[in-house]
Every structure is written in C-alpha cells, then in structure tokens.
Amino acid sequence: MVTSRPRPVAALLAVVLSAHVEALNPVGRLCSLSSAARRHACLACAERSWFSNLFSPDPAEDDVANQVVTALCDTAWTVRCQVGAELARSLGGSGELAKMQSSPRVQLDFLLQFAQDEGYDPPQGSVQLVRPSTRFSQSGFWKVTATDDADTPSAVQWRLRLEQPLEASGVGLVPAGDVYFSAKVDLDAFRDEARSPAADALVLTEGRVTVKEDIGINTGIFNARGILAEFKIVGDFEMRGAPNA
C-alpha cells in the first residue's frame, strides 16, 4: 500500500508563490498558451476593450457639457419676451390665446440668473430674478430638457410664476400660474467659440413661452379636466448674456 507523505514546508511555499506570481503575470500566462489559444485570448480582450469604450464618455465632450452649464450659470441674462394671439398662432400655438381672433401684444423684460444644484443628472437648479418684478415671482426652477448624442445639454427650460393674470387693454392673455420658458443651445457655435479665448460664449435660440392648459373633457358623467394638460405656446423670447449686470 502506498501512503502519501506530507510535503516539506519549503515545497508548499514554492507552490503557493508560483501560483501567486502566475496570477500577477497575465503576460506570462498568455505566453504559455498555444498560438491558437493566445489568438483567442487576444480577440476576447480586444472585444471587451471595444465594448467598454463604446459606453465610456469622451472626456473632451464631458468638458463641453460642463462648460455649457458653467456658461449658463456664470452670467446674468437679459430676457425680452412677447406674448399675443397672432404671435402664438404664427409659432404653431393651439391654446386659448392662439384661438383668439386678435389681441394686444405685450412685451416683458427681465434680468435672470441661473444657479446649479450639484449632484443632478441632467443638470438643474434654481433661477432668480436679479431685479424685482411686479409680474413674476422672484425665484423659479430650471433644468436641462434635452442632450445630444454626447450628453451635452442642447435645450433648457425654466419656469417662473406669474403672480397675476397678464392682461392688456382689458383682454386676458395668460392666467396666473407657472409660465415656462424653453430654448435651444447653439452647440455648434459654442464648440467653435470654445477654441478661442471667448470660451464662455453661449447662445440660446428659438425661445418659446408656454403655459399648461387642461386637455381633459367633461361629459357630464365623467370629468377628466385637470387630470391631463399640455404645453401651449403663448409667445416667444430672446435672451442675451449680461456679464456686467
């Protein structure tokens, strides 16, 4: 009968060290494989690397995304908006104001400042009127509403509360409540400017002023009004950075 004898301590240590070194030396393990096995291992490694890179953000585009938000929050903005029935229709509006045959056109100007709340993706934060307004609340909320393929903000929206109904010449234009301002970010212009010293040049375009209106129906048996709502265009706006405000 053959009996196994315990290995000397030195021999056991040699086995453990050999396994440890092999684990830390993938190149050595790769070289010890046959050519076919090495080819298979290299292909598998390349596929894993390509797959992980596919979902990894481009650091350069990450910088652009951060620069857009920084540019938005680092300056005050002069906002000039117009509200009226004919204007709403010309912009594709279909709400109560756009259905009016005609109405006076009202212009509203104010100075705005954005601030970012850290830790949110997409970015968001608070918006403040730099100067008090007799029409709007002093503060509101903003957020990024769209991004491009590189996750760079391409559209923003903010809201302010209209304290009293907006009227002109006795005609009601917009009821009291939240008013939403939406604009697109001109990323092509921003990326071009980012290569020059004017890296904070941010252009917001296609400004639209909207309100939420109920779209529910009241059949007498089932009242769905107030449950469903959608944004309706009431006007447009332009905004420009005012760094010295």
Side-chain angles (χ1 to χ4, degrees):
M1 182 173 108
V2 180
T3 58
S4 61
R5 291 184 299 175
R7 291 187 179 183
V9 174
L12 289 174
L13 286 174
V15 172
V16 172
L17 287 173
S18 175
H20 185 65
V21 169
E22 184 180 359
L24 294 176
N25 185 17
V27 175
R29 293 203 308 274
L30 187 63
C31 292
S32 67
L33 298 174
S34 67
S35 59
R38 281 201 303 271
R39 185 164 56 252
H40 179 76
C42 289
L43 286 173
C45 183
E47 286 176 359
R48 284 196 298 270
S49 176
W50 173 85
F51 188 76
S52 61
N53 290 336
L54 181 65
F55 296 97
S56 298
D58 183 345
E61 288 298 336
D62 246 5
D63 288 343
V64 174
N66 292 332
Q67 288 168 9
V68 168
V69 176
T70 299
L72 181 70
C73 297
D74 272 2
T75 185
W77 294 87
T78 300
V79 181
R80 172 166 293 182
C81 61
Q82 297 184 92
V83 174
E86 292 90 341
L87 176 60
R89 279 197 300 275
S90 72
L91 298 170
S94 59
E96 296 299 323
L97 180 59
K99 292 175 183 177
M100 291 184 183
Q101 185 173 357
S102 64
S103 79
R105 183 176 296 194
V106 175
Q107 180 172 304
L108 303 171
D109 298 337
F110 48 88
L111 195 62
L112 207 61
Q113 180 75 57
F114 296 87
Q116 183 182 9
D117 293 339
E118 297 296 333
Y120 290 92
D121 186 20
Q124 64 179 50
S126 62
V127 61
Q128 299 278 339
L129 291 182
V130 177
R131 303 187 185 103
S133 168
T134 57
R135 297 185 184 275
F136 290 103
S137 59
Q138 187 65 25
S139 62
F141 173 81
W142 74 272
K143 63 181 179 179
V144 170
T145 52
T147 59
D148 67 2
D149 292 339
D151 271 347
T152 304
S154 59
V156 295
Q157 181 191 79
W158 70 92
R159 70 170 183 259
L160 291 171
R161 185 165 185 82
L162 189 63
E163 300 290 6
Q164 301 292 333
L166 181 62
E167 299 178 346
S169 303
V171 178
L173 304 177
V174 179
D178 288 337
V179 179
Y180 299 83
F181 302 82
S182 304
K184 293 183 179 180
V185 179
D186 189 341
L187 288 177
D188 290 336
F190 187 78
R191 287 187 173 104
D192 288 342
E193 289 291 341
R195 300 190 187 99
S196 72
D200 59 348
L202 181 66
V203 178
L204 299 178
T205 64
E206 299 183 38
R208 296 291 183 266
V209 186
T210 59
V211 296
K212 281 186 177 180
E213 292 183 4
D214 292 342
I215 59 172
I217 58 173
N218 186 356
T219 63
I221 300 174
F222 177 73
N223 185 4
R225 295 195 65 82
I227 297 177
L228 300 174
E230 64 182 16
F231 291 104
K232 298 294 186 180
I233 297 174
V234 295
D236 65 1
F237 68 90
E238 294 180 350
M239 59 190 297
R240 294 288 183 269
N244 297 322

